[in-house]
Amino acid sequence: MAGNSFGKLLVLTTFGESHGPAIGGVLDGFPPGVVIDLEEVQKALDKRKPGQSSITTQRKESDQVELLSGVFEGKSTGAPIGFLIRNEDAKSKDYSHIKDTYRPSHADYAYDQKYGIRDYRGGGRSSARETACRVVAGALAGLWLKQHGIEVRAFVSQVGNVSLDKQLQIPSENQVEANMVRCPDPKIAAEMIALIEQVKKAGDTVGGKVTCIASGVPAGIGDPVFDKLHADLAKAMMSINAVKAFEIGSGVEAAKMLGSEHNDIFMQDGVTKTNYSGGIQGGISNGNLIECAVTFKPVATIMLDQQSIDKEGNETVVKGKGRHDPCVVPRAVPIVEAMMLLTIADHFLRQKAIQA
Amino acid sequence: MAGNSFGKLLVLTTFGESHGPAIGGVLDGFPPGVVIDLEEVQKALDKRKPGQSSITTQRKESDQVELLSGVFEGKSTGAPIGFLIRNEDAKSKDYSHIKDTYRPSHADYAYDQKYGIRDYRGGGRSSARETACRVVAGALAGLWLKQHGIEVRAFVSQVGNVSLDKQLQIPSENQVEANMVRCPDPKIAAEMIALIEQVKKAGDTVGGKVTCIASGVPAGIGDPVFDKLHADLAKAMMSINAVKAFEIGSGVEAAKMLGSEHNDIFMQDGVTKTNYSGGIQGGISNGNLIECAVTFKPVATIMLDQQSIDKEGNETVVKGKGRHDPCVVPRAVPIVEAMMLLTIADHFLRQKAIQA
Amino acid sequence: MAGNSFGKLLVLTTFGESHGPAIGGVLDGFPPGVVIDLEEVQKALDKRKPGQSSITTQRKESDQVELLSGVFEGKSTGAPIGFLIRNEDAKSKDYSHIKDTYRPSHADYAYDQKYGIRDYRGGGRSSARETACRVVAGALAGLWLKQHGIEVRAFVSQVGNVSLDKQLQIPSENQVEANMVRCPDPKIAAEMIALIEQVKKAGDTVGGKVTCIASGVPAGIGDPVFDKLHADLAKAMMSINAVKAFEIGSGVEAAKMLGSEHNDIFMQDGVTKTNYSGGIQGGISNGNLIECAVTFKPVATIMLDQQSIDKEGNETVVKGKGRHDPCVVPRAVPIVEAMMLLTIADHFLRQKAIQA
Amino acid sequence: MAGNSFGKLLVLTTFGESHGPAIGGVLDGFPPGVVIDLEEVQKALDKRKPGQSSITTQRKESDQVELLSGVFEGKSTGAPIGFLIRNEDAKSKDYSHIKDTYRPSHADYAYDQKYGIRDYRGGGRSSARETACRVVAGALAGLWLKQHGIEVRAFVSQVGNVSLDKQLQIPSENQVEANMVRCPDPKIAAEMIALIEQVKKAGDTVGGKVTCIASGVPAGIGDPVFDKLHADLAKAMMSINAVKAFEIGSGVEAAKMLGSEHNDIFMQDGVTKTNYSGGIQGGISNGNLIECAVTFKPVATIMLDQQSIDKEGNETVVKGKGRHDPCVVPRAVPIVEAMMLLTIADHFLRQKAIQA
């Protein structure tokens, strides 16, 4: 309830700073008796890992997760799953120049205003490093949801002006992992990579979009009114660093549409002809693919000089230093998947509670 | 926690169905000693009221709010504020034709799948009538925030293909209320109204967008990580009926931008040159205008015949009946304001708790 | 989360003051499809009603509950159940003498310190009148639990020095309702009534104890660590006005016992030989009777003059006025039952969520 | 919300099993800028440590706490404080005999019924070893509360039939720590120690009571209705392993008292003549000492043979093995203090949020 927890019945609490000894989390409410395949969890984590390709940051972190509790003889016990990822390649020196300076479009200034104290090393608690813990928890949730036939796949659907057409099916993991930008269309992927490399060369960064699809979610998941499934998905996604927009189904395009176009006609078998609803109606899943899109801004740290102010309000220049991604979306894919997995798992448990 | 409550320290719980005896709510955690101007609350409610203009539904509801508790001698006492709005013009007969039929892009099918039982009259709990309770609670929160210099204003920024340019300042209430579509630019407003009237004539509906701006929010409001201020705003807005997208600051445009363009440069006085961040960085307000946009789909109920299925899965035709809005955004303005007021008030209280 | 809600999946929120227009509540998370027998609910409420016998307060309230939502054609729909009880016989004049005076062992002083404002009429929000809402909600929960074979019965086990022996079985409703003090042993009941009448004549009040037993609760209900079933029961009971102690199973007697005495030996069929555990081990029900005891202090309002202070800190004398019970336990019986029903129902839903 | 978290604004989440690699926790919502004296925290932990005296279990654990986050340059940052205690002297072999057997009055049977799987080693998650995490968090809360003049002290007030008279003042830490049973009266302490040694020699265990007093708590802390300060204290204390009763102020004695005796008369200075209220009225602190008592049952593990059943329901004999305390109350003292510190700190933050 103090901002570092997510979920109602399946609750993830995370802790840790970018340059502290470790980051970690507690996943509480996980159902008992689920076989915990730690390799699957590590695989998800490796997709988020820095230094994995030429278009990601060169920070090196092995990001090995250690489970500390909640698993006995390979199965979940119902007790909270505590886990830890040690920080290794923290180069705090890289950040001493921003100790008293506010980087543009970072959290530095806002944190100082809120807390009156700030662990400036690597962004401290505001670093996207925290999201590694979400990936661990999401992968664990995925192990359970898989047993219920639910699959979640995210992929890059836009980088700058290069965008992918709407996908009508959930792509396979292989399609997404076939290239380093994680776009299931190889031709578009090549364009995206070229754009990112060009931006990187210029010392700049570029924004993008991640689309996420869930298949196999039965109808009836989600709570009406405030805890609508897509409202909770929105919160889940907007809580990821650098996210500026959340869209469900038709998204911002809905503003331009007519009701006669937008309405999803029910077919004989309960499935709808179109899916502008994004698989959710009245906040509750209707059995179709759940589909949302998440817009990421360009990474704020650029390798160019920028004007700013320091703690005393004096003008200063922020130099681009540290190791950062030219475009965050390829590494955001496993994070978006994790947040959707956690959200669906939480609501799945909630629905089980009231079902006859 | 069961889906009908919103907020952590300032908690709104609502109840009631479209055609039941009443709708209402409880606002808990409201600070004591605030002068409760019931006229202000009723004024907000009147903006949401059906039947207020030629471009809204003709259902007649006086929507008089009755406060039942939490106020003593004109001031809040710190006790929960219970309130009630009686339903008056419920024409349940209008809905008997959908008792066993699923209207396209409505919640009918999903509710039946979730609960196995459904109050079909007027959409029951899934009706947007519930949002009247949010308007009451939001207006109450607004009375308190006003004391702290915080003002929130929403307005219509898009209807179909007609859109308003980005506003760099918070418009006045008079500017917004000057026309029945609630767009602060009179020329654009006229175009929007013309479009809605044309769509209405065709028995169709059209989508749109509401922009919402808060001024006077001090830096430091919002919690990092999961309860980022814009994540909670996203949830707040996506929980409103018919919303398909939420954008903070640059929104979906961020995907196309470069870091060197998107970064908001801090000026001497802590204010930023641009405001692509939408007044929030790292989940925490930075003292600039908080600005978000909310996309509404076209109303699902149209006055045209549509193909669908019934409870047994048989094909059927849904006839357009009942009284509905051709475009929901003008009446959505006070609802969007209410959700932003509630979200900011909740986080304002949270920040007070940890401040030295 | 602001103090006026109880439960996690089945959440009761109450509102209302003793002398305001009405008290009421919202019960959210109630399972759909349960037949709502309003007469059963009213019956429970009548047991708590003032003026029901010669040993209770003479305030007259018909305490008719009005359900406002969440029920359709006689069955729960899964939507929140809003309900209202209008206040009728509020004699606010009786309280004008305490507007600026702090009654000993009442909440007057503490409320003023907390909120800086106080609805002094009838104790405002601190009045035990609020518990009528709990009785409504508890009775609704009871309708659902009954379907699962769970029954809860409270009864008076002590008044002053008169106490009942430990009950090894759940008494029937008829046994409890056979006398106005609600003690299932007629001989002890007579002694209790005599004591209360004697105390009443002296203008004084006396404390007592209510024991509450649940039968039919399956093993496995309750969460380990912080949300132990008996920890939540303790909170539930201690939140009732005038409660000073909560005991589960052996209670305070456990301090004197040896492990070899206190251990409950498992018998062939899972049932234990003794039940010092009170049906709960490690926070989880073990299938035996759940048994707890709740101690109530003597009512603070006595018909005798008492020394006190006023708002300015001046010495003053509080005169005994208003209409109050000489002993609260007979009317506390339905309240204690309600809180146990709500606690068990909440945990029952929580267990359903994680069960295979 | 899944049972392993405590608090609303200051939230402790714990994880870990008795014989897993580590136990630990996350304390979220901790105010920024508090100097973190790790020695104070370790000192509290050492009071709970096994093997500290001849009347406690001989399990050896150094119980060194490692802080992983939330502290920067010696001060809290407002970020969650993650911490870890590695398990060292886990002798899992000692427990193989109970893999398929249910120990009387332990959580074994109930866990199996709830989860269908059980980490039987050392009791797994049901072990009181979890409470070490509460002590860490409570000590951290204490560092902050001390700054506000709030002090909390627990001490042993009963062992078997030996009991201490009611304390009218908060004893000093030195008085409590002067003897190994942690009773501030040396003569009574000697009797308690003699009793425990005698019981230990007999292979048996004995119950007891811990009293806990808070001084310096300002009036106005605590929420009315469900989150009464003493209701939350009750939950806090009842959630500690082996607790069977919670009493505030007069406690179970209140049942026997008259109103004219029990009422606490306000004196000129706001302080009351007596303190049967235990410093709380209407759920809110009134500025007097907050005083409660917590009853612990005799430890269930005894060194005597006991009849029981195994997983298949067959009769079996449980032999007394493992390393356990003959009486739990001396080591419970820091745990009770921790839970009171956490409860008061949480409500202190809540009150700050609504204060003008």
Side-chain angles (χ1 to χ4, degrees):
Chain A
M1 310 222 192
N4 295 284
S5 295
F6 181 82
K8 294 210 169 170
L9 281 184
L10 182 66
V11 187
L12 171 64
T13 301
T14 71
F15 63 86
E17 282 82 42
S18 182
H19 289 210
I23 57 172
V26 186
L27 185 62
D28 195 13
F30 197 85
V34 179
V35 174
I36 300 303
D37 181 343
L38 201 54
E39 273 179 51
E40 276 296 307
V41 177
Q42 190 60 50
K43 208 175 82 181
L45 208 44
D46 290 347
K47 290 182 191 171
R48 201 212 71 99
K49 204 164 69 168
Q52 63 184 269
S53 79
S54 64
I55 57 169
T56 57
T57 169
Q58 295 310 301
R59 177 171 174 170
K60 296 275 182 236
E61 290 287 350
S62 63
D63 277 1
Q64 289 294 321
V65 64
E66 180 190 7
L67 296 194
L68 298 171
S69 64
V71 179
F72 181 60
E73 298 178 344
K75 283 187 181 167
S76 63
T77 63
I81 303 177
F83 58 87
L84 211 66
I85 302 171
R86 292 276 169 188
N87 291 326
E88 295 167 350
D89 188 30
K91 297 198 177 166
S92 302
K93 260 191 323 195
D94 284 3
Y95 292 89
S96 53
H97 69 300
I98 53 140
K99 186 180 166 180
D100 302 313
T101 301
Y102 299 129
R103 292 168 298 168
S105 288
H106 272 91
D108 306 338
Y109 176 79
Y111 265 64
D112 250 9
Q113 294 296 310
K114 184 175 187 68
Y115 297 118
I117 180 174
R118 174 167 60 99
D119 179 353
Y120 57 84
R121 302 164 307 161
R125 182 67 182 150
S126 75
S127 165
R129 184 148 178 71
E130 180 270 342
T131 58
C133 301
R134 307 184 186 202
V135 173
V136 170
L140 289 166
L143 295 174
W144 178 60
L145 289 177
K146 209 182 207 171
Q147 296 184 353
H148 293 275
I150 297 172
E151 209 177 354
V152 166
R153 183 124 316 112
F155 49 90
V156 171
S157 52
Q158 188 179 344
V159 172
N161 284 301
V162 185
S163 37
L164 182 72
D165 284 346
K166 201 177 164 69
Q167 302 294 295
L168 298 174
Q169 286 185 304
I170 187 167
S172 73
E173 191 180 355
N174 285 343
Q175 283 175 296
V176 177
E177 292 300 318
N179 55 71
M180 63 186 173
V181 80
R182 296 202 167 94
C183 172
D185 180 313
K187 206 174 136 284
I188 304 289
E191 289 179 50
M192 288 171 171
I193 293 169
L195 175 57
I196 294 173
E197 281 170 344
Q198 172 200 324
V199 161
K200 186 185 170 186
K201 216 167 286 171
D204 215 333
T205 59
V206 66
K209 209 181 253 201
V210 173
T211 293
C212 191
I213 298 179
S215 68
V217 180
I221 306 300
D223 272 357
V225 187
F226 297 108
D227 293 356
K228 289 185 167 83
L229 184 53
H230 57 286
D232 279 345
L233 281 172
K235 171 163 178 162
M237 299 306 174
M238 297 296 299
S239 78
I240 301 173
N241 307 49
V243 171
K244 302 305 288 179
F246 173 82
E247 301 170 272
I248 185 80
S250 53
V252 295
E253 292 306 305
K256 299 182 189 155
M257 293 172 77
L258 296 174
S260 55
E261 289 176 86
H262 192 278
N263 280 355
D264 295 318
I265 302 304
F266 282 107
M267 309 300 288
Q268 206 102 18
D269 53 354
V271 174
T272 58
K273 209 169 177 172
T274 50
N275 189 16
Y276 292 117
S277 298
I280 300 173
Q281 288 169 335
I284 301 168
S285 63
N286 66 5
N288 291 275
L289 290 184
I290 293 178
E291 186 168 352
C292 69
V294 185
T295 299
F296 289 79
K297 70 170 184 175
V299 173
T301 300
I302 56 178
M303 295 301 115
L304 303 166
D305 287 359
Q306 294 178 94
Q307 189 193 326
S308 194
I309 54 167
D310 65 16
K311 272 194 171 178
E312 275 70 45
N314 302 312
E315 278 192 35
T316 182
V317 168
V318 177
K319 300 224 167 266
K321 280 193 195 171
R323 296 153 299 175
H324 291 271
D325 296 86
C327 180
V328 86
V329 285
R331 287 179 61 206
V333 162
I335 307 167
V336 168
E337 280 180 357
M339 292 313 294
M340 194 184 253
L341 286 162
L342 287 170
T343 306
I344 292 174
D346 187 37
H347 275 281
F348 199 91
L349 287 168
R350 289 166 73 169
Q351 176 62 0
K352 279 188 69 199
I354 63 158
Q355 256 170 341
Chain B
M1 310 219 190
N4 295 284
S5 296
F6 181 81
K8 294 210 169 173
L9 282 183
L10 182 67
V11 188
L12 171 64
T13 301
T14 71
F15 63 86
E17 283 82 41
S18 184
H19 290 210
I23 57 171
V26 186
L27 185 62
D28 195 14
F30 197 84
V34 180
V35 174
I36 300 302
D37 181 343
L38 202 54
E39 272 179 52
E40 276 295 306
V41 177
Q42 189 60 49
K43 207 175 81 178
L45 209 42
D46 289 347
K47 291 184 191 170
R48 202 213 71 97
K49 206 164 70 169
Q52 63 185 270
S53 79
S54 64
I55 57 170
T56 58
T57 170
Q58 295 312 301
R59 177 169 175 170
K60 296 275 182 234
E61 289 288 349
S62 62
D63 277 1
Q64 289 293 321
V65 65
E66 180 190 7
L67 296 194
L68 298 170
S69 63
V71 179
F72 181 59
E73 298 178 344
K75 283 186 182 168
S76 63
T77 62
I81 303 177
F83 58 87
L84 210 66
I85 302 169
R86 292 274 170 191
N87 291 326
E88 295 167 350
D89 188 30
K91 300 199 176 164
S92 303
K93 258 190 328 197
D94 284 2
Y95 292 90
S96 54
H97 69 299
I98 53 140
K99 186 179 165 182
D100 302 312
T101 302
Y102 299 128
R103 292 168 296 168
S105 289
H106 273 89
D108 307 338
Y109 176 79
Y111 265 64
D112 249 9
Q113 293 296 311
K114 182 173 188 68
Y115 297 116
I117 179 173
R118 176 166 58 97
D119 178 354
Y120 57 84
R121 302 165 307 161
R125 182 69 183 149
S126 74
S127 165
R129 185 150 177 72
E130 179 272 340
T131 58
C133 301
R134 306 184 187 203
V135 173
V136 171
L140 289 166
L143 295 174
W144 177 61
L145 290 177
K146 210 182 205 171
Q147 296 185 352
H148 294 276
I150 297 172
E151 210 177 354
V152 166
R153 183 124 316 112
F155 49 89
V156 171
S157 52
Q158 188 179 343
V159 171
N161 282 302
V162 184
S163 34
L164 181 71
D165 283 345
K166 199 177 167 67
Q167 302 294 295
L168 298 175
Q169 285 184 304
I170 187 167
S172 73
E173 191 179 355
N174 285 344
Q175 284 176 295
V176 176
E177 292 300 317
N179 56 70
M180 65 184 173
V181 81
R182 295 202 167 93
C183 172
D185 181 314
K187 208 175 136 280
I188 304 287
E191 289 179 49
M192 288 172 170
I193 293 170
L195 176 56
I196 295 174
E197 281 170 345
Q198 173 198 324
V199 162
K200 187 185 169 186
K201 215 167 287 170
D204 214 335
T205 58
V206 66
K209 208 181 254 200
V210 173
T211 294
C212 191
I213 299 181
S215 68
V217 180
I221 305 301
D223 272 357
V225 184
F226 296 108
D227 292 356
K228 290 185 166 84
L229 184 54
H230 57 285
D232 278 346
L233 281 172
K235 172 163 177 163
M237 299 306 173
M238 298 295 300
S239 79
I240 301 172
N241 307 48
V243 172
K244 303 305 288 180
F246 173 82
E247 300 170 89
I248 184 81
S250 52
V252 295
E253 292 306 304
K256 297 181 190 155
M257 293 173 76
L258 297 174
S260 55
E261 288 177 86
H262 192 278
N263 281 356
D264 295 319
I265 301 304
F266 282 107
M267 309 299 287
Q268 208 104 13
D269 55 351
V271 174
T272 57
K273 210 167 176 173
T274 50
N275 188 16
Y276 291 117
S277 297
I280 301 174
Q281 288 169 332
I284 301 168
S285 62
N286 65 6
N288 291 276
L289 291 182
I290 294 178
E291 186 169 352
C292 68
V294 185
T295 299
F296 289 79
K297 69 170 187 177
V299 173
T301 302
I302 58 179
M303 295 300 115
L304 304 166
D305 288 359
Q306 294 177 95
Q307 186 191 328
S308 194
I309 55 169
D310 65 15
K311 271 193 172 175
E312 275 71 44
N314 302 315
E315 278 191 35
T316 181
V317 168
V318 177
K319 299 223 166 267
K321 280 194 195 170
R323 296 154 297 175
H324 290 271
D325 296 87
C327 181
V328 86
V329 286
R331 287 180 61 207
V333 163
I335 307 167
V336 167
E337 280 179 357
M339 293 313 294
M340 194 184 253
L341 286 162
L342 287 170
T343 306
I344 291 174
D346 187 37
H347 274 283
F348 200 91
L349 287 168
R350 289 166 74 167
Q351 177 61 0
K352 279 190 70 200
I354 64 158
Q355 256 168 341
Chain C
M1 310 219 192
N4 295 284
S5 295
F6 182 82
K8 294 210 168 169
L9 282 183
L10 182 68
V11 187
L12 170 65
T13 301
T14 71
F15 63 86
E17 281 82 42
S18 183
H19 290 209
I23 57 172
V26 186
L27 185 61
D28 195 12
F30 197 84
V34 179
V35 175
I36 300 302
D37 181 343
L38 201 53
E39 271 180 53
E40 276 295 307
V41 177
Q42 190 60 51
K43 208 175 81 180
L45 208 42
D46 290 347
K47 291 183 191 171
R48 200 213 73 99
K49 206 165 66 169
Q52 63 184 269
S53 78
S54 64
I55 57 170
T56 58
T57 170
Q58 295 311 302
R59 178 170 174 170
K60 295 275 181 231
E61 290 286 350
S62 64
D63 278 1
Q64 288 294 322
V65 64
E66 181 190 8
L67 296 194
L68 298 171
S69 64
V71 179
F72 182 60
E73 298 179 344
K75 282 185 183 169
S76 64
T77 63
I81 303 176
F83 59 87
L84 210 66
I85 302 170
R86 293 273 170 191
N87 290 326
E88 296 168 349
D89 187 30
K91 299 200 175 162
S92 303
K93 258 191 325 195
D94 284 1
Y95 293 89
S96 53
H97 69 300
I98 54 139
K99 186 180 167 182
D100 302 312
T101 301
Y102 299 129
R103 292 168 297 169
S105 289
H106 272 91
D108 306 338
Y109 176 79
Y111 265 64
D112 249 9
Q113 294 296 311
K114 183 175 188 67
Y115 296 118
I117 180 174
R118 176 166 59 97
D119 179 354
Y120 58 84
R121 301 165 306 163
R125 182 68 181 150
S126 75
S127 164
R129 183 146 178 75
E130 179 271 342
T131 58
C133 301
R134 308 184 186 202
V135 173
V136 171
L140 289 166
L143 295 174
W144 178 59
L145 289 178
K146 209 182 206 172
Q147 294 184 354
H148 293 276
I150 297 172
E151 208 178 355
V152 166
R153 182 122 319 112
F155 50 88
V156 171
S157 52
Q158 187 179 345
V159 172
N161 282 300
V162 184
S163 35
L164 182 71
D165 283 345
K166 201 178 165 67
Q167 301 294 297
L168 298 174
Q169 284 184 306
I170 186 166
S172 73
E173 191 180 353
N174 285 344
Q175 284 176 297
V176 176
E177 293 299 317
N179 56 70
M180 63 185 174
V181 81
R182 295 202 168 94
C183 172
D185 180 315
K187 207 175 136 282
I188 304 288
E191 289 179 47
M192 288 173 171
I193 293 169
L195 175 57
I196 294 173
E197 282 170 344
Q198 172 199 326
V199 162
K200 187 185 169 188
K201 215 166 288 172
D204 215 335
T205 59
V206 66
K209 209 181 254 200
V210 173
T211 293
C212 191
I213 299 179
S215 68
V217 179
I221 306 301
D223 271 357
V225 185
F226 297 108
D227 293 356
K228 290 185 167 84
L229 184 52
H230 57 286
D232 279 346
L233 281 172
K235 172 164 178 162
M237 299 307 173
M238 296 297 299
S239 78
I240 302 172
N241 307 48
V243 171
K244 303 303 289 177
F246 173 82
E247 301 170 89
I248 184 79
S250 53
V252 296
E253 292 306 305
K256 298 183 190 154
M257 293 172 76
L258 298 174
S260 55
E261 288 176 86
H262 192 278
N263 282 356
D264 294 319
I265 301 305
F266 282 107
M267 309 300 286
Q268 207 104 16
D269 55 351
V271 174
T272 57
K273 209 168 176 174
T274 50
N275 188 16
Y276 291 117
S277 298
I280 301 173
Q281 288 169 334
I284 301 167
S285 63
N286 66 6
N288 291 274
L289 291 183
I290 293 178
E291 185 168 352
C292 68
V294 185
T295 300
F296 290 78
K297 69 169 185 177
V299 173
T301 301
I302 56 179
M303 294 303 114
L304 304 166
D305 287 359
Q306 295 177 94
Q307 187 193 328
S308 192
I309 55 169
D310 65 15
K311 270 193 173 178
E312 276 68 46
N314 302 314
E315 277 192 36
T316 182
V317 167
V318 177
K319 300 223 166 266
K321 280 193 194 171
R323 297 155 296 175
H324 290 271
D325 296 86
C327 181
V328 87
V329 287
R331 286 179 61 207
V333 162
I335 307 167
V336 167
E337 280 180 358
M339 293 313 293
M340 194 185 251
L341 286 162
L342 287 169
T343 306
I344 291 174
D346 187 38
H347 275 283
F348 199 92
L349 287 167
R350 290 166 74 168
Q351 176 62 0
K352 278 189 69 199
I354 63 159
Q355 255 170 343
Chain D
M1 312 220 190
N4 295 283
S5 295
F6 181 82
K8 293 210 169 170
L9 282 183
L10 181 67
V11 188
L12 171 64
T13 302
T14 70
F15 63 86
E17 282 81 42
S18 183
H19 290 209
I23 57 172
V26 186
L27 185 62
D28 196 12
F30 197 84
V34 179
V35 175
I36 301 302
D37 181 343
L38 201 54
E39 271 180 52
E40 276 296 307
V41 177
Q42 189 61 50
K43 208 175 82 179
L45 209 43
D46 289 348
K47 291 183 191 170
R48 200 213 72 98
K49 205 163 69 168
Q52 64 185 268
S53 78
S54 64
I55 57 170
T56 58
T57 169
Q58 296 311 300
R59 177 169 174 171
K60 296 276 181 232
E61 290 286 349
S62 62
D63 277 2
Q64 289 294 320
V65 65
E66 182 189 7
L67 297 194
L68 297 170
S69 64
V71 179
F72 181 58
E73 298 179 342
K75 281 185 183 169
S76 63
T77 63
I81 302 177
F83 59 87
L84 211 66
I85 301 170
R86 292 277 170 187
N87 292 325
E88 296 168 348
D89 188 31
K91 298 198 178 165
S92 303
K93 258 189 329 195
D94 284 3
Y95 292 89
S96 53
H97 69 298
I98 54 141
K99 187 180 165 179
D100 302 313
T101 301
Y102 299 129
R103 292 169 297 169
S105 289
H106 272 91
D108 306 338
Y109 176 79
Y111 265 64
D112 249 10
Q113 293 296 311
K114 182 172 188 68
Y115 297 117
I117 180 174
R118 175 166 59 98
D119 179 353
Y120 57 84
R121 302 164 306 161
R125 182 67 182 151
S126 75
S127 165
R129 185 150 177 71
E130 180 272 340
T131 58
C133 301
R134 308 184 185 202
V135 173
V136 171
L140 289 166
L143 295 174
W144 177 59
L145 290 178
K146 210 183 206 169
Q147 296 185 353
H148 293 276
I150 297 172
E151 209 178 355
V152 167
R153 183 123 317 112
F155 49 89
V156 171
S157 52
Q158 187 179 345
V159 172
N161 283 301
V162 184
S163 35
L164 182 70
D165 283 346
K166 200 176 167 69
Q167 302 293 296
L168 298 175
Q169 284 184 304
I170 186 168
S172 72
E173 191 180 354
N174 285 344
Q175 283 175 298
V176 176
E177 291 300 316
N179 56 70
M180 65 184 173
V181 81
R182 294 200 168 95
C183 172
D185 181 315
K187 206 175 136 280
I188 304 289
E191 288 179 48
M192 288 172 170
I193 294 170
L195 176 56
I196 295 173
E197 281 170 345
Q198 173 199 325
V199 161
K200 186 184 170 188
K201 214 167 286 169
D204 214 333
T205 59
V206 66
K209 207 181 257 201
V210 173
T211 294
C212 191
I213 299 180
S215 67
V217 180
I221 306 300
D223 273 356
V225 185
F226 297 109
D227 293 356
K228 289 184 168 82
L229 184 53
H230 57 284
D232 279 346
L233 280 172
K235 172 162 176 163
M237 299 305 173
M238 296 297 299
S239 78
I240 301 173
N241 308 49
V243 172
K244 302 305 288 179
F246 173 82
E247 300 170 89
I248 185 79
S250 53
V252 296
E253 291 307 304
K256 297 181 190 156
M257 292 173 77
L258 297 173
S260 54
E261 288 176 86
H262 192 279
N263 281 357
D264 295 318
I265 302 304
F266 282 107
M267 309 300 286
Q268 206 105 17
D269 54 352
V271 173
T272 57
K273 208 167 177 173
T274 50
N275 188 16
Y276 292 118
S277 297
I280 301 174
Q281 288 169 335
I284 301 169
S285 63
N286 65 5
N288 291 275
L289 291 183
I290 294 178
E291 186 168 352
C292 69
V294 185
T295 299
F296 290 79
K297 69 171 187 178
V299 174
T301 301
I302 56 179
M303 295 301 113
L304 304 166
D305 287 0
Q306 293 177 96
Q307 186 193 329
S308 193
I309 55 169
D310 65 16
K311 271 193 171 178
E312 276 69 45
N314 302 315
E315 277 191 35
T316 181
V317 168
V318 177
K319 299 221 166 268
K321 279 192 196 173
R323 296 154 298 174
H324 290 272
D325 296 86
C327 180
V328 87
V329 285
R331 286 179 62 206
V333 163
I335 307 167
V336 167
E337 280 180 358
M339 293 314 293
M340 194 185 253
L341 286 162
L342 287 169
T343 305
I344 291 174
D346 188 37
H347 274 282
F348 199 92
L349 288 167
R350 289 166 73 168
Q351 175 62 0
K352 279 190 69 200
I354 63 158
Q355 255 168 342

